[in-house]
Amino acid sequence: MPKLSGINHLAAMKAFEKFGFWIQRQGKHIIMSDGTHVITIPRNNPINAYTMGVIIKGAGLTIEEFKTKL
């Protein structure tokens, strides 16, 4: 698994928006969808690297693809 450092939740949210995800609702977590995948982003700063890896894979992306949009 490639190295992925902790990411701010706002930066992660903006990166997913570039992939076509939009915010469905917000609270303690941010729920985003692209019509096919639904992801949950915690409001932690920074988001743990392992947690971020699971979110990225749940979105149907690879870590390399995600890093290009950061």
Side-chain angles (χ1 to χ4, degrees):
M1 181 176 202
K3 181 90 171 127
L4 181 69
S5 61
I7 299 172
N8 184 317
H9 74 275
L10 295 174
M13 192 172 69
K14 288 179 185 177
F16 282 115
E17 286 176 343
K18 293 177 185 175
F19 283 105
F21 283 81
W22 66 88
I23 298 171
Q24 288 190 321
R25 65 180 180 266
Q26 294 185 33
K28 289 185 178 181
H29 292 78
I30 301 164
I31 311 299
M32 298 183 81
S33 176
D34 67 350
T36 306
H37 303 94
V38 177
I39 57 173
T40 303
I41 303 172
R43 289 188 183 261
N44 295 348
N45 284 324
I47 299 172
N48 183 328
Y50 294 108
T51 303
M52 199 66 229
V54 171
I55 294 168
I56 292 168
K57 287 183 181 179
L61 304 169
T62 65
I63 293 174
E64 292 82 15
E65 288 174 329
F66 183 77
K67 282 184 174 183
T68 63
K69 300 292 184 179
L70 280 178

